[in-house]
Amino acid sequence: MYAISCDDHLGLNDAQTAIVASATELTELAVDERIADRSYPHDDDARSGNVRLRNFSAPGISRMTAYRFHRHNLLNEHLFHVWPAAGYDYPALTTVIFEMPQVLILGADLLPIADVVFDRTYYGRWMLGYAELLQQHWPDIVAHRAGAEPAPDPYFTNQIGSTMSVLLYLTPDGLEPAREFLLALTQHHSELLANATPRTDALADAVEARRVQLMTKAYKGLDYHSPASDSLAAILGWPGANLMFDAVFGPDDIDQGLEGKRTYLDVIVSPGTFSAPRSR
């Protein structure tokens, strides 16, 4: 069993934020006090925990989120997202580590902003460095893979991402290689940002703006109807859980309020939620 500490011993969010801050000037955005940096004590330990969420914008960045959620003795979640500003087509960055008593889950991807089925140059322009980074870090990561390769899973194969998305169960001693990989990926993404310029093709810009809107909507809905929202609501209540999803993915097009569990993508539970995630 792996001890789940409330202390942020990993320091991943702060390290990733510092990497991006070294590449561009960040402007911190207001976050509701219920999720900004708050502890939630409870007589039932399983319903106590704390949350810390920071949002930023920057030239070329519409929203950057650094988020850590702790549930007493059960979970540490370290999430980091960077979404490009309107007019930019460099890929979005999504990373997460879940620490749980028996296993770690590592997730990471660079999400193409263009439709790569039609924009055949996108991978060459933006994704080759990510492929090289994966080749460099992959042996150290998979050396800590937990158990056999699981079967393909309909929930996780529905995620919006690249063909190089990472989603792995790891043993606890895989935490440091996972952390080093995410820091290297954040550094690489910051270098992409530093070299990015706005698109000048108005038609491509309009298509990509619509694609980003659909991607974030789908990503939000898939995550919300996974076990994530119920776990958050157990600690934060539904208002806090809903605030967190809005802070990470942006507000809903049609306001569903804060008080109760919401519905996205016309489902109650995302497909495959109760199965094991698919590793590469």
Side-chain angles (χ1 to χ4, degrees):
M1 297 288 284
Y2 177 70
I4 303 300
S5 171
C6 64
D7 297 328
D8 187 9
H9 62 98
L10 203 57
L12 183 59
N13 285 172
D14 289 343
Q16 290 177 288
T17 300
I19 288 171
V20 181
S22 69
T24 188
E25 184 175 352
L26 296 175
T27 299
E28 189 154 9
L29 306 175
V31 174
D32 191 287
E33 64 178 7
R34 285 170 284 185
I35 58 172
D37 191 359
R38 184 166 172 180
S39 295
Y40 284 82
H42 197 281
D43 291 341
D44 178 0
D45 280 348
R47 296 182 61 189
S48 65
N50 53 59
V51 62
R52 183 173 187 245
L53 187 148
R54 302 175 75 192
N55 268 345
F56 302 85
S57 65
I61 295 175
S62 64
R63 182 191 303 266
M64 184 182 97
T65 301
Y67 160 75
R68 182 177 182 272
F69 172 62
H70 169 74
R71 187 171 180 181
H72 184 72
N73 285 339
L74 294 176
L75 173 68
N76 282 328
E77 178 185 0
H78 313 264
L79 176 146
F80 193 78
H81 283 189
V82 181
W83 289 88
Y88 288 82
D89 70 344
Y90 71 90
L93 170 69
T94 66
T95 75
V96 69
I97 289 179
F98 295 97
E99 300 177 82
M100 292 177 284
Q102 295 179 324
V103 72
L104 305 174
I105 297 179
L106 167 66
D109 202 7
L110 296 188
L111 282 63
I113 296 303
D115 188 333
V116 296
V117 172
F118 298 102
D119 186 346
R120 306 304 292 179
T121 68
Y122 191 90
Y123 264 74
R125 286 186 288 121
W126 293 116
M127 306 296 285
L128 295 182
Y130 178 32
E132 292 172 0
L133 198 70
L134 276 174
Q135 290 179 352
Q136 177 186 347
H137 287 267
W138 196 247
D140 289 339
I141 295 171
V142 297
H144 304 282
R145 179 179 282 167
E149 181 85 4
D153 180 282
Y155 169 63
F156 287 96
T157 53
N158 253 331
Q159 293 283 25
I160 308 301
S162 77
T163 57
M164 298 182 290
S165 61
V166 174
L167 192 61
L168 288 172
Y169 278 179
L170 301 176
T171 56
D173 55 359
L175 185 59
E176 189 56 32
R179 181 181 187 273
E180 291 303 313
F181 167 61
L182 295 190
L183 292 179
L185 180 57
T186 305
Q187 178 64 47
H188 171 67
H189 186 263
S190 294
E191 293 166 4
L192 296 181
L193 167 64
N195 293 316
T197 56
R199 290 288 292 264
T200 57
D201 183 337
L203 179 60
D205 187 30
V207 170
E208 287 157 10
R210 177 60 173 160
R211 178 171 163 81
V212 169
Q213 180 187 32
L214 293 173
M215 285 169 65
T216 53
K217 180 179 179 180
Y219 210 143
K220 184 178 186 179
L222 286 165
D223 269 12
Y224 193 91
H225 291 297
S226 77
S229 61
D230 288 330
S231 182
L232 283 166
I235 308 301
L236 312 179
W238 282 114
N242 290 327
L243 281 168
M244 192 286 296
F245 275 89
D246 288 345
V248 173
F249 296 103
D252 294 341
D253 294 335
I254 299 175
D255 185 15
Q256 298 190 57
L258 294 177
E259 294 306 316
K261 186 169 185 176
R262 299 170 175 176
T263 299
Y264 295 99
L265 307 178
D266 298 320
V267 299
I268 302 301
V269 177
S270 290
T273 289
F274 300 107
S275 304
R278 176 183 63 89
S279 58
R280 285 183 79 251

